[in-house]
């Protein structure tokens, strides 16, 4: 009987040791996997491969705050670079620039541990605030542009639109310089000019035409000649989101 009890005791001890060994092996494997994932994340952040870093941090509880930072930054950067954001001169419409800025303002501070990533988020925050300020300035005097446009006062609204264009080009110059900051300014320049573009063209009102004559014929011809002489093409390039297409900007 004693021998039987001894045998059972030994068997239990052996099974316990096997169980402990399996648990230790599992823990070791898990620790190794966590260490490898951490190294990949840090490498991706150093190389500014934020899409990859976002994927790697998605299911890592140790990087949940960094994931939120990456998600917000990539969303805003993509919306700006793909021109999904629009300048709104009519104050009855919500500002899309403000919406972008809010996405970056509400993120955790984990991004501050990565100097390159911190610099890009800081740049976006600063440029978005400039865009918001310029948009608010245009909103306050939008009636001065809209009213003559609707009334067909071509010379009047063209003059105002060209003044606005000069302000846009001053705040967000579109240059051939290939840097992250220059590219961002080019994107914002394009976004503002996309909203302003209808006012940079002499629009013909068919209701004002009589006996087959065009009262704006001379103005139209003059404008077409000016466009032909002063049209330039630039290609702003970017990091995330790929290289945008050539954009034609009219300089009156």
């Amino acid at each position: 009987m004693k021998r039987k009890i001894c045998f059972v005791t030994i068997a239990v001890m052996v099974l316990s040791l096997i169980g402990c060994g399996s648990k230790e092996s599992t823990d070791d494997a898990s620790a190794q996997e966590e260490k490898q994932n951490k190294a990949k994340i840090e490498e991706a952040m150093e190389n500014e491969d934020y899409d990859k870093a976002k994927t790697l941090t998605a299911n890592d509880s140790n990087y949940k705050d960094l994931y939120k930072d990456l998600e917000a930054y990539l969303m805003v950067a993509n919306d700006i670079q793909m021109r999904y954001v629009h300048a709104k001169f009519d104050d009855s419409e919500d500002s899309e620039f403000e919406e972008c800025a809010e996405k970056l303002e509400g993120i955790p501070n984990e991004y501050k541990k990565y100097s390159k990533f911190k610099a890009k988020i800081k740049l976006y925050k600063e440029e978005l605030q400039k865009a918001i300020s310029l948009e608010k300035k245009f909103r306050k005097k939008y009636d001065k542009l809209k009213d003559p446009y609707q009334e067909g006062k071509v010379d009047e609204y063209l003059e105002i639109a060209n003044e606005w264009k000069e302000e846009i080009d001053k705040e967000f110059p579109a240059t051939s310089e290939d840097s992250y900051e220059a590219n961002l300014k080019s994107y914002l320049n394009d976004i503002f000019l996309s909203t302003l573009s209808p006012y940079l063209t002499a629009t013909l009102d068919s209701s004002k035409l009589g006996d087959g004559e065009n009262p704006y014929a001379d103005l139209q011809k003059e404008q077409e000649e000016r466009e032909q002489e002063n049209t330039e093409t630039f290609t702003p390039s970017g990091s995330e989101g790929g290289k945008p297409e050539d954009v034609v900007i009219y300089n009156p």
Side-chain angles (χ1 to χ4, degrees):
M1 183 68 178
K2 291 182 179 180
R3 293 179 60 187
K4 184 177 181 180
I5 293 174
C6 183
F7 177 78
V8 171
T9 302
I10 293 172
V12 170
M13 292 176 63
V14 170
L15 290 173
S16 297
L17 290 172
I18 293 174
C20 290
S22 298
K23 185 178 184 301
E24 289 178 0
S25 298
T26 302
D27 291 344
D28 289 343
S30 179
Q32 184 65 22
E33 183 179 347
E34 184 177 315
K35 183 178 179 181
Q36 290 175 350
N37 194 56
K38 179 180 179 180
K40 290 178 181 178
I41 291 171
E42 297 299 324
E43 181 181 13
M45 293 301 295
E46 177 62 26
N47 294 335
E48 300 179 79
D49 190 347
Y50 301 127
D51 285 304
K52 182 178 181 180
K54 178 174 174 282
T55 300
L56 291 169
T57 57
N59 297 310
D60 193 324
S61 60
N62 295 317
Y63 286 93
K64 60 181 180 180
D65 284 345
L66 180 59
Y67 173 80
K68 292 177 182 178
D69 294 344
L70 289 163
E71 183 179 40
Y73 165 75
L74 289 171
M75 185 182 299
V76 171
N78 182 70
D79 287 349
I80 294 291
Q81 294 178 20
M82 297 302 292
R83 318 305 198 276
Y84 295 150
V85 177
H86 307 89
K88 300 291 185 180
F89 299 158
D90 189 340
D91 60 10
S92 67
E93 300 179 280
D94 293 335
S95 171
E96 296 182 9
F97 289 127
E98 290 183 357
E99 185 179 340
C100 283
E102 287 172 3
K103 289 177 182 177
L104 292 180
E105 288 300 331
I107 62 176
N109 291 324
E110 190 71 14
Y111 71 91
K112 293 182 178 180
K113 295 179 180 180
Y114 304 90
S115 58
K116 296 177 183 178
F117 190 36
K118 177 182 176 181
K120 288 191 173 182
I121 289 183
K122 181 174 181 290
L123 176 63
Y124 260 86
K125 285 184 176 181
E126 291 174 349
E127 296 304 315
L128 280 170
Q129 287 305 316
K130 292 178 184 177
I132 291 170
S133 296
L134 185 59
E135 185 183 55
K136 285 182 177 178
K137 183 177 181 179
F138 289 157
R139 281 172 175 250
K140 289 180 180 179
K141 51 185 181 180
Y142 179 52
D143 286 344
K144 294 182 179 179
L145 176 66
K146 180 183 67 174
D147 291 347
Y149 178 77
Q150 292 179 337
E151 295 167 7
K153 298 178 181 178
V154 179
D155 290 338
E156 187 174 340
Y157 76 70
L158 276 178
E159 181 179 358
I160 296 172
N162 285 318
E163 289 176 357
W164 287 23
K165 183 181 182 302
E166 289 179 3
E167 290 189 61
I168 293 168
D169 289 337
K170 182 179 179 181
E171 189 67 76
F172 303 112
T175 68
S176 58
E177 180 186 347
D178 188 13
S179 70
Y180 198 79
E181 181 176 358
N183 292 334
L184 177 54
K185 288 181 182 294
S186 290
Y187 296 135
L188 292 170
N189 180 287
D190 193 25
I191 288 171
F192 271 100
L193 289 183
S194 292
T195 301
L196 187 62
S197 60
Y199 306 97
L200 289 169
T201 305
T203 303
L204 302 181
D205 187 347
S206 59
S207 67
K208 297 181 182 295
L209 302 180
D211 299 328
E213 295 186 0
N214 180 0
Y216 300 139
D218 292 338
L219 178 61
Q220 185 182 32
K221 181 179 179 181
E222 179 183 342
Q223 180 178 310
E224 289 175 350
E225 291 175 351
R226 190 165 64 237
E227 287 178 352
Q228 185 66 31
E229 293 174 357
N230 298 303
T231 298
E232 64 178 7
T233 302
F234 75 97
T235 306
S237 59
S239 299
E240 295 81 19
K243 186 174 182 179
E245 299 295 328
D246 286 353
V247 180
V248 176
I249 297 300
Y250 164 53
N251 291 323

